[in-house]
């Protein structure tokens, strides 16, 4: 054994005493968070989901200001992204409408070309031969 080493000392650094791992003989099965009694107690809470309270560490003013600025920037970015998507969708609708108009115009011109060709063929067959 090492000099000055205490095997019973806390090896979990920076951990609160409530989160230390205890041998089962000390903890007992009823104190285990996943024991059947603990599970049945948590599931019998009248149909409500168990509320977990997140306790964040105390925040200094500089960090709070950074978080606030980050939240504002994130909100602004999300809105800008939504606006850009809407703008692109509107532009897409316009381009699709223009495409459809051009297709219709092309179909009309092709029909006119076909009609003129058939008229030309009819007239060329009746033309007097010299």
């Amino acid at each position: 054994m090492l000099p000055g080493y205490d095997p019973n000392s806390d090896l979990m650094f920076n951990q609160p005493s409530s989160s230390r791992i205890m041998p089962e003989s000390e903890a007992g099965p009823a104190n285990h968070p996943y024991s059947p009694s603990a599970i049945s107690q948590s599931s019998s809470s009248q149909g409500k989901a168990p509320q977990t309270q997140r306790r964040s560490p105390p925040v200094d003013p500089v960090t709070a200001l950074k978080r606030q600025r980050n939240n504002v920037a994130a909100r602004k970015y999300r809105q800008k992204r939504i606006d850009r998507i809407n703008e692109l969708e509107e532009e897409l609708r316009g381009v699709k409408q223009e495409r459809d108009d051009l297709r219709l115009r092309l179909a009309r011109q092709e029909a006119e070309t076909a009609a003129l060709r058939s008229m030309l063929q009819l007239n060329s067959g009746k033309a007097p031969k010299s």
Side-chain angles (χ1 to χ4, degrees), residues 13-103:
F13 300 106
N14 299 326
Q15 294 289 325
S17 61
S18 63
S19 65
R20 289 188 188 130
I21 300 175
M22 293 188 280
E24 282 188 40
S25 60
E26 290 179 24
N31 293 335
H32 192 274
Y34 299 110
S35 69
S37 62
I39 292 172
S40 66
Q41 288 173 357
S42 67
S43 65
S44 65
S45 61
Q46 299 154 347
K48 293 182 182 177
Q51 295 180 353
T52 56
Q53 293 181 353
R54 298 173 89 186
R55 293 185 182 170
S56 59
V59 180
D60 61 302
V62 174
T63 305
L65 183 61
K66 285 182 181 180
R67 284 185 182 172
Q68 183 181 12
R69 286 180 181 167
N70 187 48
N71 286 339
V72 168
R75 195 175 308 123
K76 183 179 177 182
Y77 168 77
R78 290 184 200 112
Q79 186 60 49
K80 190 174 182 180
R81 186 181 63 193
I82 289 170
D83 292 344
R84 178 70 175 144
I85 289 170
N86 290 337
E87 178 183 318
L88 289 172
E89 287 174 344
E90 184 63 35
E91 185 178 341
L92 179 63
R93 279 189 287 275
V95 169
K96 282 183 176 182
Q97 182 64 45
E98 182 181 359
R99 178 202 61 194
D100 293 341
D101 292 344
L102 288 171
R103 282 182 176 169

Side-chain angles (χ1 to χ4, degrees), residues 106-124:
L106 176 64
R108 286 179 181 157
Q109 287 181 346
E110 286 176 344
E112 183 183 357
T113 303
L116 290 172
R117 281 195 177 143
S118 67
M119 288 172 52
L120 184 62
Q121 285 179 352
L122 288 174
N123 287 339
S124 66

